Amino acid sequence: MAAPLSLLDLPSDVLLSIIDILDAFSLARLTCVCKPLKALVDDFGWSYYLKSNVRPSYGLGKHRELLSSRARAKYDALVDHSWQRAHSFVARPLLRQWRGKLQPVMTVSEHRIVIGAGRSLYFYTFTSTPAVKLEAQINLENPHQHGRDITSLAILDDDGTNVELIAGFENGDIQGLDYVHKTVCPFQPPIDSLHQGVAVKSIKNMDDMLLSLSAGGDVAITNLTTADSSCIQLERKSWTSYLSLRSSTPFAAFGTTAISHALDIHYMYEDGLSPVASLTLGSSIQNARQAAVYAIASAPPAAPWGASPEIVVSGWYDGRVRCYDLRARTRTLSNDGHSTMLTPVMTVADPLRCEPIYSISSGGGSASHIAAGTARHSVVSFWDIRNPSRGWSVHAPGNDFSPVYDVVLESSRCYGVTQSRAFVLDYGPNVTQDAYPHVPVNNARDGLTPAGHGFYVTQYKHWSQKISGDLANDLLY
Ligand SMILES: *[C@@H]1O[C@H](CO)[C@@H](O)[C@H](O)[C@H]1NC(C)=O
Ligand SMILES: *[C@@H]1O[C@H](CO)[C@@H](O)[C@H](O)[C@H]1NC(C)=O
């Protein structure tokens, strides 16, 4: 009788393809079986795992560089696990409360996060610990100049020491800002200010293209290499924009207030942006006030539809987050008959407070989450879009009666800004007290919890809430 075949007698390519489909916990168990299997997992398993379980992040890059593949996989598995348990995170403010009510904006690179609030810029760097440190606060010029609050911000380039930023202001100005050694020098970017006197609502950049949008609907798209600009007019109250150059036809998306055109896609051709909507992303809203889109983002990388650049995630005035797949075949004529309309492939909402969505970002645990900043009580709502009925919402530290004007989600952290402060919700393992700046507080209820490293915040689960008929009709999972 032939000796029974052992697992290790299998050809190595078969073993490797088995290892390729294992999750982190199974790989860890396999390393305990025997030395040859441990060697196989250490040599190939962890790096395979990391390749097929990408966790995009900005601030964690420096930390991850120091870790072995095994330690990275462990870190990611722990992060995914705390997202799954929803409530295990640490909430921290990033600085003292601002005076007055501001409408801050954020932008992020792999080296730092920059917050524009009123006329000030706050630069936070990411360290390898991983921690977030306040590097500089810079007040931009003349306090008497009118309308110089920052309304939009984008990082063009950040090599670690030098940062090139573009800022848009309430008065329509667009300015370049060079940040180096904790000082800022203004420069004239190769774009005209096309938004005379009207706030610049949004600046987005990708590769060498820069897209700017004014509150009045003036759009400029500029190739920064050639300084060639082209402009279109949306001719309606506009809130936000989104640029996608990786999709099969590059496009820009605009969030505005307009019954049948609150979210329009304009394709980009050789000679510039299409002046009319190429596609309209629809809703069933029949009320002008509710038909407004304030936030647009890409899909989370591990979305069920794939990490396609053809997916658009949007936050609406009626409190719904609607996801669209531009590849979808079911198309209708828009309500006004002027363009092709797509219906959402997924709609989610917080059933307790269907507040307008002001900001949106994708990523998080398992790279499958959406975070949405809402209009009141500094609430951020989260959904794992593989299981969207199990969403939850968190009040930011301080519980300000304020919208969350901007959110940025990376694998373990969600950064946000309210009218009074910047904050972070951290789902990472081993968050220490020094991971974030020390912020003195006025009363204990606003301070660190007795257990130590996070501030008190309240949160609630969506699935224990009763869903009204109206909303139930809308929710598409
Ligand atoms: C967290 O801390 C514990 C105990 O100090 C340590 O064993 C563990 O490896 C740490 N985890 C990570 C991901 O650093
Ligand atoms: C911008 O212009 C440069 C130089 O002509 C060109 O190589 C590049 O492709 C342009 N970028 C886009 C996105 O069209």
Side-chain angles (χ1 to χ4, degrees):
M1 208 173 78
L5 214 58
S6 119
L7 186 59
L8 290 167
D9 296 329
L10 287 173
S12 54
D13 51 339
V14 175
L15 279 176
L16 288 178
S17 36
I18 295 172
I19 281 178
D20 196 17
I21 56 170
L22 296 181
D23 65 19
F25 292 100
S26 310
L27 286 173
R29 283 190 203 111
L30 203 55
T31 60
C32 305
V33 174
C34 62
K35 279 189 184 155
L37 280 175
K38 179 173 182 334
L40 205 62
V41 171
D42 285 342
D43 292 348
F44 302 100
W46 300 117
S47 51
Y48 282 15
Y49 174 82
L50 292 170
K51 249 183 229 140
S52 47
N53 293 274
V54 181
R55 298 287 177 270
S57 76
Y58 306 98
L60 298 165
K62 288 186 183 146
H63 177 59
R64 295 172 67 90
E65 269 171 26
L66 304 178
L67 302 178
S68 64
S69 300
R70 178 179 171 276
R72 269 185 231 176
K74 180 177 170 191
Y75 183 89
D76 291 348
L78 290 171
V79 170
D80 291 354
H81 185 63
S82 34
W83 279 90
Q84 266 154 29
R85 288 187 309 167
H87 47 267
S88 62
F89 61 88
V90 162
R92 291 281 290 268
L94 289 177
L95 76 179
R96 264 172 196 265
Q97 195 171 342
W98 289 304
R99 271 168 223 229
K101 297 181 179 175
L102 304 179
Q103 290 196 20
V105 288
M106 287 191 289
T107 179
V108 64
S109 73
E110 62 189 283
H111 299 290
R112 51 178 63 75
I113 187 157
V114 186
I115 297 168
R119 291 162 190 217
S120 300
L121 286 170
Y122 299 82
F123 293 84
Y124 289 88
T125 45
F126 301 128
T127 75
S128 60
T129 2
V132 174
K133 299 248 178 278
L134 180 63
E135 185 181 21
Q137 175 190 344
I138 290 169
N139 299 321
L140 294 179
E141 68 193 292
N142 189 349
H144 303 297
Q145 208 175 347
H146 197 65
R148 289 288 285 182
D149 275 7
I150 300 163
T151 50
S152 46
L153 203 57
I155 293 178
L156 293 186
D157 191 34
D158 185 350
D159 66 7
T161 32
N162 276 29
V163 189
E164 209 178 295
L165 287 159
I166 298 266
F169 297 86
E170 205 183 340
N171 66 358
D173 286 354
I174 292 184
Q175 193 167 55
L177 300 164
D178 257 330
Y179 171 83
V180 55
H181 303 312
K182 305 188 183 180
T183 57
V184 156
C185 295
F187 70 92
Q188 189 56 48
I191 40 175
D192 305 322
S193 184
L194 296 145
H195 315 293
Q196 256 81 33
V198 185
V200 182
K201 284 309 255 188
S202 156
I203 296 182
K204 294 291 156 69
N205 65 306
M206 192 176 202
D207 303 341
D208 53 359
M209 299 302 279
L210 188 82
L211 178 71
S212 62
L213 170 71
S214 80
D218 294 307
V219 177
I221 185 149
T222 308
N223 182 325
L224 293 170
T225 312
T226 59
D228 284 342
S229 271
S230 74
C231 306
I232 63 170
Q233 267 90 40
L234 304 176
E235 287 171 352
R236 54 184 178 268
K237 200 165 172 60
S238 300
W239 303 103
T240 191
S241 66
Y242 175 77
L243 184 60
S244 171
L245 302 179
R246 306 268 184 274
S247 36
S248 56
T249 310
F251 68 86
F254 301 103
T256 64
T257 299
I259 295 190
S260 41
H261 289 280
L263 181 53
D264 277 354
I265 301 284
H266 292 242
Y267 285 137
M268 221 166 91
Y269 302 112
E270 296 259 307
D271 54 348
L273 272 185
S274 162
V276 294
S278 315
L279 276 177
T280 293
L281 306 185
S283 71
S284 49
I285 299 169
Q286 301 296 336
N287 170 339
R289 222 169 85 80
Q290 301 202 331
V293 169
Y294 301 140
I296 312 174
S298 54
W305 320 285
S308 168
E310 316 284 340
I311 309 281
V312 173
V313 177
S314 55
W316 290 65
Y317 177 86
D318 67 352
R320 315 299 199 254
V321 171
R322 295 186 169 89
C323 308
Y324 299 87
D325 188 339
L326 305 189
R327 301 162 299 186
R329 298 251 177 104
T330 44
R331 294 164 180 240
T332 53
L333 209 56
S334 67
N335 299 347
D336 64 359
H338 291 321
S339 62
T340 310
M341 193 175 80
L342 285 185
T343 49
V345 290
M346 179 184 276
T347 301
V348 293
D350 170 350
L352 186 65
R353 314 168 183 270
C354 237
E355 299 285 353
I357 308 282
Y358 273 41
S359 50
I360 209 155
S361 186
S362 290
S366 308
S368 63
H369 286 76
I370 292 174
T374 70
R376 282 210 268 186
H377 298 294
S378 54
V379 168
V380 184
S381 301
F382 294 99
W383 296 270
D384 180 341
I385 62 170
R386 299 167 309 172
N387 188 6
S389 61
R390 311 285 281 183
W392 72 100
S393 296
V394 180
H395 293 259
N399 212 357
D400 304 309
F401 185 81
S402 160
V404 177
Y405 286 109
D406 210 351
V407 283
V408 171
L409 192 56
E410 57 177 0
S411 75
S412 64
R413 298 166 173 155
C414 178
Y415 305 93
V417 279
T418 69
Q419 67 190 20
S420 310
R421 70 193 86 220
F423 65 90
V424 61
L425 308 175
D426 190 333
Y427 290 80
N430 294 2
V431 178
T432 62
Q433 204 158 337
D434 317 325
Y436 298 101
H438 171 68
V439 177
V441 290
N442 301 331
N443 69 62
R445 184 70 183 81
D446 280 343
L448 290 171
T449 57
H453 306 139
F455 276 49
Y456 285 105
V457 292
T458 41
Q459 61 172 329
Y460 54 91
K461 294 168 185 160
H462 297 172
W463 65 91
S464 51
Q465 314 297 331
K466 191 168 158 14
I467 298 181
S468 72
D470 193 24
L471 179 59
N473 285 341
D474 259 14
L475 295 186
L476 294 173
Y477 301 140

